[in-house]
Amino acid sequence: MREGTTVTCRKYNVSPSLYGKWKNKYLSRGTEGLKPAYHRVDPELRALEQENELLKRIIAKQALEIEVKSELLKKNPIQVKIRR
C-alpha cells in the first residue's frame, strides 16, 4: 500500500485489527477465507418454513379436538330416541 495500512483503514472506516484478521484469513485460505462462514437462508425459504410450522400447529390442534370429541362420545354415547 502506498498510503500505509493505518491511513487506508481510516479512509474506509475499518479498524486495523479487522484488517489484520482479513489479511490472515486471505493468506491462510485465499478468497475462500474471506467468504462468510455462516449459511445464508433464503427469505422465501424461511417464509415457507414458517407457513409450514403454522399449518402443522393447525393440524395438531384439529387432531387433538377430534380425539377429545371421540373420547367424549365413548363416555357419553348419544341416545337416539325412536318415535312411534
Side-chain angles (χ1 to χ4, degrees):
M1 294 184 174
R2 292 183 193 169
E3 300 172 342
T5 57
T6 308
V7 175
T8 306
C9 287
R10 283 186 191 147
K11 179 179 176 182
Y12 293 103
N13 199 21
V14 174
S15 70
S17 63
L18 182 60
Y19 168 77
K21 288 179 185 178
W22 286 347
K23 183 179 176 183
N24 289 337
K25 285 182 179 182
Y26 178 74
L27 292 176
S28 66
R29 293 182 280 170
T31 54
E32 289 296 318
L34 297 177
K35 291 184 180 178
Y38 60 89
H39 178 68
R40 187 167 178 213
V41 179
D42 184 28
E44 291 179 12
L45 179 63
R46 183 166 299 197
L48 288 174
E49 288 174 346
Q50 290 174 345
E51 183 180 4
N52 194 16
E53 288 297 319
L54 176 65
L55 293 173
K56 283 181 182 180
R57 278 191 243 122
I58 290 171
I59 290 172
K61 183 179 176 183
Q62 288 177 344
L64 183 62
E65 287 176 359
I66 290 171
E67 186 178 337
V68 168
K69 287 177 183 177
S70 66
E71 288 296 319
L72 287 175
L73 286 176
K74 286 179 186 176
K75 291 179 181 177
N76 300 323
I78 299 174
Q79 297 176 358
V80 180
K81 293 182 179 178
I82 302 174
R83 291 184 181 179
R84 293 184 188 185

